[in-house]
């Protein structure tokens, strides 16, 4: 949990409760929420999923991530489905997408 808390807070998520020593931590992310639950008995479990976070400025979020030293899966790009996005994996391997609909999309 400590590693996940440090990661999410470094990229700008607002902690509502929980923290590095908690078994459950909740964040506000824009108009939604991200909940983290420590399950040491089941970890690591190979799963795949992608959470998409809508941001005001994809390029600014990307720059923040890069300045923090995180490696991204992609650079910001304009997708044919009408959004600008990039992908990043959290410390436990979960894929995050930061995206915004393009004005011309």
């Amino acid at each position: 949990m400590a590693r996940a808390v440090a990661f999410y807070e470094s990229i700008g998520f607002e902690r509502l409760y929980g923290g590095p020593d908690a078994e459950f931590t909740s964040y506000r992310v824009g108009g939604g929420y991200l909940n983290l639950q420590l399950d040491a008995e089941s970890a690591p479990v190979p799963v795949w999923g992608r959470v998409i976070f809508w941001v005001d400025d994809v390029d600014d979020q990307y720059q923040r991530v890069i300045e923090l030293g995180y490696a991204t899966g992609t650079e910001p790009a304009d997708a044919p489905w009408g959004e600008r996005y990039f992908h990043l994996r959290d410390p436990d391997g979960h894929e995050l997408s930061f995206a915004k609909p393009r004005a011309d999309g």
Side-chain angles (χ1 to χ4, degrees), residues 1 3-4 8 36 43-45 47 89-95:
M1 183 64 74
R3 181 179 63 204
Y8 284 103
L36 306 176
V45 176
V47 296
R89 289 198 181 268
D90 78 2
D92 295 304
H94 303 290
E95 189 172 55

Side-chain angles (χ1 to χ4, degrees), residues 8-9 11-15 27-29 34 53 96 98:
Y8 284 103
E9 291 180 9
I11 62 172
F13 288 31
E14 175 191 353
R15 185 184 339 156
Y27 289 97
R28 181 184 329 273
V29 185
L34 173 70
F53 297 101
L96 313 177
F98 293 91

Side-chain angles (χ1 to χ4, degrees), residues 11 20-21 31 41 68 88:
I11 62 172
D21 298 320
E41 292 180 22
L68 289 165
L88 168 71

Side-chain angles (χ1 to χ4, degrees), residues 82 101-105:
R102 289 193 331 259
D104 64 347

Side-chain angles (χ1 to χ4, degrees), residues 15-72:
R15 185 184 339 156
L16 298 174
Y17 52 87
D21 298 320
E23 291 187 10
F24 186 85
T25 300
S26 183
Y27 289 97
R28 181 184 329 273
V29 185
Y33 300 91
L34 173 70
N35 295 325
L36 306 176
Q37 181 175 346
L38 180 63
D39 185 359
E41 292 180 22
S42 299
V45 176
V47 296
W48 181 86
R50 178 182 299 141
V51 178
I52 300 170
F53 297 101
W54 294 96
V55 296
D56 290 331
D57 191 315
V58 171
D59 295 283
D60 281 352
Q61 184 69 32
Y62 176 80
Q63 193 60 40
R64 178 181 192 161
V65 165
I66 294 303
E67 288 173 3
L68 289 165
Y70 297 123
T72 63

Side-chain angles (χ1 to χ4, degrees), residues 74-105:
T74 62
E75 293 182 356
D78 294 328
W81 55 86
E83 68 182 18
R84 186 158 180 80
Y85 75 98
F86 76 92
H87 295 157
L88 168 71
R89 289 198 181 268
D90 78 2
D92 295 304
H94 303 290
E95 189 172 55
L96 313 177
S97 180
F98 293 91
K100 180 179 181 174
R102 289 193 331 259
D104 64 347

